[in-house]
Amino acid sequence: EQAIISGIAHDTSEAKVTILGVPDQPGVAARVFRPLADEGVNVDMIVQNASAEGRTDIFFTLPKDDLRRAEPILKRVTEQVGARGVTTDPHIAKVSLVGAGMKTHPGVAADMFDALADEGINIEIISTSSIRVSCVVRATEVQRAVRVIHDRFALSTEAVRREMH
Amino acid sequence: EQAIISGIAHDTSEAKVTILGVPDQPGVAARVFRPLADEGVNVDMIVQNASAEGRTDIFFTLPKDDLRRAEPILKRVTEQVGARGVTTDPHIAKVSLVGAGMKTHPGVAADMFDALADEGINIEIISTSSIRVSCVVRATEVQRAVRVIHDRFALSTEAVRREMH
Ligand SMILES: C[C@@H](O)[C@H](N)C(=O)O
Ligand SMILES: C[C@@H](O)[C@H](N)C(=O)O
C-alpha cells in the first residue's frame, strides 16, 4: 500500500487541559469525561500514556470557547478522582499530516519529526493513527511548523488547510 | 453532524514499547523514529504526552514480529538521546471505536470509557481522533472489552472486525 499524503491541517482554535497524576484504576477516565460530555463540552483529541507508579496524566483539547464552561467541572472532577491538579493552556497549535496507508510507511512520521527538529521546533504532544500524524506545538510556531512540513513533503499550497473546532 | 459509529476494531498482533524519561527537546522524537523507519520497523500508534520536569515517555506499538529487529535499535537510541530506559510488552490489545463526527459528539468517548469501567477493565493508553477512539487494555481482556462496547453501542455482529498489522 503506497502512503498517500493528502495534506496538512493546522488548528489554533483549541486550548489544552492536562489533569495531573490521576490514579490508574478502572473508571477514572469515565468519571473525567462523562460530566464534560453531559455539559456538551466538545472534547477533541484525548491522549493518555501508561502510568508510572500507579499515576498518569490525562491530556485533551477543547475549543477555547468551551474552556470557561469546562473549568468548574474540571475542578470538581480533579477532587473526585483524587488527581494532583489540573492545568489549562490556550496557547497551543495542532499540526497534522493527513493521508492514508501511514501504518505501513514508518518513514512518514519520522520525516515529519525530522522537519520540525531541523527547524528547532519542540513537539509537546504526539498522537497518530493510520491516516494522521498530529503534533501539538506552541501556537507561536504554527506558521513555521506548517511551512517546514509542507516543504519536506513537497505539497501544493491547496494541501494546507486550517481546521476550526 | 450526527455521530455515526460504524464499528469496533480489535488487534492483539502488536506489542508496545515505552521509552522512559526522554529529554523534552527539539529533535528527540526524530532521533527515536528515524532509525526505526530506516530499518523498516512498522511503527503503528505513537502516543507522547507533555513533559513534567523536562522529561516525558514516548510510547508506540509495532507488530510483535518486528520486536526482535527493533530491540537493538531501541537500546542504541535510548543511550543516544539520554533516556532513562526502555520497556517492551507484547501482552496488549488495542480496541478502537470507529466512526465519523466524533469531534462534535463528546458523549461517544465517555460512553466507551463508561462501558469499560462498568466491566472493571483498566484503560492503559488512550488516543483519539475525530473518527476513532482507541484504548489499549491487557490482551487477556480484549474479548470482554469488545463485548461490552458492542453492547453499549448496540452494534451488529458484522460491526466487529479484527485488525492485523
Ligand atoms: C487513567 C485511566 O485511564 C484509568 N486507567 C481508567 O481506566 O479509567
Ligand atoms: C519528546 C520529544 O517529542 C521532543 N519534545 C521533540 O520535539 O522531539
Side-chain angles (χ1 to χ4, degrees), chain A:
Chain A
E1 187 187 9
Q2 270 308 310
I4 311 143
I5 310 296
S6 52
I8 307 172
H10 58 97
D11 182 348
T12 49
S13 70
E14 298 186 333
K16 78 175 185 187
V17 174
T18 309
I19 303 178
L20 300 156
V22 303
D24 184 16
Q25 291 152 7
V28 167
R31 279 152 62 202
V32 167
F33 290 103
R34 168 55 61 208
L36 290 166
D38 291 348
E39 181 68 28
V41 172
N42 263 335
V43 169
D44 182 17
M45 183 175 165
I46 303 171
V47 176
Q48 180 221 306
N49 223 327
S51 64
E53 286 126 33
R55 289 197 176 256
T56 186
D57 299 341
I58 294 180
F59 161 93
F60 66 89
T61 61
L62 74 171
K64 285 179 190 165
D65 304 344
D66 283 4
L67 202 51
R68 191 182 303 282
R69 247 178 339 134
E71 272 169 354
I73 303 171
L74 291 170
K75 216 169 131 51
R76 206 174 55 238
V77 159
T78 299
E79 276 162 37
Q80 280 171 352
V81 301
R84 263 191 308 104
V86 58
T87 65
T88 61
D89 176 355
H91 306 296
I92 64 160
K94 192 168 74 173
V95 182
S96 306
L97 198 63
V98 186
M102 306 241 212
K103 212 169 178 174
T104 46
H105 284 75
V108 170
D111 285 346
M112 183 175 175
F113 301 154
D114 269 339
L116 295 170
D118 291 349
E119 188 68 15
I121 293 173
N122 193 51
I123 305 167
E124 297 183 14
I125 308 272
I126 302 171
S127 176
T128 73
S129 74
S130 54
I131 62 159
R132 197 177 174 98
V133 180
S134 290
C135 292
V136 170
V137 298
R138 287 290 91 202
T140 49
E141 292 174 332
V142 69
Q143 296 306 332
R144 272 196 317 144
V146 169
R147 186 169 48 68
V148 293
I149 296 167
H150 174 276
D151 295 352
R152 182 73 175 222
F153 290 93
L155 294 168
S156 69
T157 41
E158 293 75 48
V160 175
R161 75 169 189 283
R162 203 170 128 233
E163 287 187 329
M164 289 288 292
H165 203 97

